[in-house]
Amino acid sequence: MSHYLKYGEEEISHLRKKDKKLGAVIERIGMIERRVNPDVFAALIESVIGQQISSKAAETVRRKLEGLCGMDSKRLNGLSIEAIQSCGMSMRKAMYIKGVAEAVVSGSLDIGAFSEMSDSEVIEQLSALKGVGVWTAEMLLIFSLNRPNVISYGDLAIRRGMMRLYGLKDLSQDRFNRYAKRYAPYASVASLYFWHISDPGFEW
């Protein structure tokens, strides 16, 4: 069964009311379906796998690793770093993945408690892990935990989409934060549209 990011008329109406330019683009594009992975551990491992490689290559590596451990934290933690690396990744990335599994198995990272944590608390916990930065944590918030109000300044495509929509040559963190407040509490939905707008193939 496929899971998709949940949003509807309430979120759309809010964004259209708060931002006419974004509203016009939403009207033009319509609803965007983006898959989410409710298995937080698997989603976290997949995000580390996907860093700095194409989505096609990442999918090949993910399938091989899943074949070895079923994306189960205990089984993954039981693999050697060499076995993880043999799925088609660098030694450094294999070490990061093993580190994530170790943190979950030891309880130093309590994924089950994420539902009780704020966005900033989840980001703090995840970005403390080697190989997991703020951007990866923000993507996990959107595409695994279904958090509604996440937009990432560290995401180049989002910034590019915003600059294109508003006709900007650059975008400071301060200005970005002002826009983010405008989209709240539904910034995750705004993110979907900025990714779409950033595609050079998208025409007004």
Side-chain angles (χ1 to χ4, degrees):
M1 180 185 161
S2 291
H3 297 264
Y4 294 93
L5 194 69
K6 296 186 191 84
Y7 74 100
E9 194 51 47
E10 182 183 330
E11 291 85 351
I12 293 292
S13 296
H14 174 85
L15 292 172
R16 286 170 65 183
K17 193 162 70 181
K18 292 284 186 178
D19 192 304
K20 295 278 192 290
K21 284 190 172 181
L22 181 57
V25 166
I26 291 171
E27 185 78 22
R28 166 116 191 260
I29 295 169
M31 299 293 281
I32 295 174
E33 285 194 339
R34 281 293 294 264
R35 279 196 172 84
V36 297
N37 185 353
D39 182 333
V40 179
F41 178 74
L44 181 53
I45 296 300
E46 286 168 20
S47 67
V48 176
I49 288 171
Q51 288 169 6
Q52 297 178 321
I53 61 173
S54 71
S55 53
K56 190 175 177 183
E59 178 59 19
T60 302
V61 173
R62 186 197 65 76
R63 279 203 195 120
K64 286 180 181 173
L65 188 61
E66 190 168 35
L68 286 181
C69 68
M71 289 304 188
D72 174 78
S73 57
K74 284 181 183 165
R75 284 172 65 193
L76 178 47
N77 190 44
L79 295 174
S80 68
I81 289 170
E82 289 74 20
I84 297 168
Q85 185 194 16
S86 73
C87 295
M89 67 188 86
S90 68
M91 181 61 80
R92 177 179 286 186
K93 198 177 278 189
M95 288 169 74
Y96 291 158
I97 286 170
K98 174 86 167 175
V100 171
E102 281 174 350
V104 170
V105 171
S106 72
S108 64
L109 180 69
D110 185 0
I111 282 175
F114 282 1
S115 58
E116 308 301 319
M117 293 182 189
S118 68
D119 292 353
S120 58
E121 285 169 337
V122 173
I123 289 169
E124 189 180 341
Q125 288 259 317
L126 288 171
S127 58
L129 296 167
K130 280 188 177 172
V132 181
V134 171
W135 177 84
T136 299
E138 288 168 333
M139 294 307 104
L140 201 81
L141 284 170
I142 299 174
F143 294 117
S144 188
L145 295 167
N146 258 300
R147 294 294 173 91
N149 194 35
V150 181
I151 189 163
S152 174
Y153 185 72
D155 191 294
L156 183 62
I158 286 179
R159 292 206 311 274
R160 194 187 300 128
M162 289 174 82
M163 287 160 66
R164 193 174 179 199
L165 180 67
Y166 301 120
L168 306 172
K169 289 206 163 54
D170 53 55
L171 181 60
S172 68
Q173 177 90 59
D174 283 348
R175 191 165 194 172
F176 177 91
N177 291 345
R178 287 202 299 276
Y179 283 127
K181 279 183 187 159
R182 189 187 293 178
Y183 315 137
Y186 303 124
S188 298
V189 177
S191 295
L192 291 184
Y193 288 93
F194 286 121
W195 277 313
H196 199 93
I197 296 165
S198 74
D199 184 338
F202 174 72
E203 293 181 8
W204 307 101

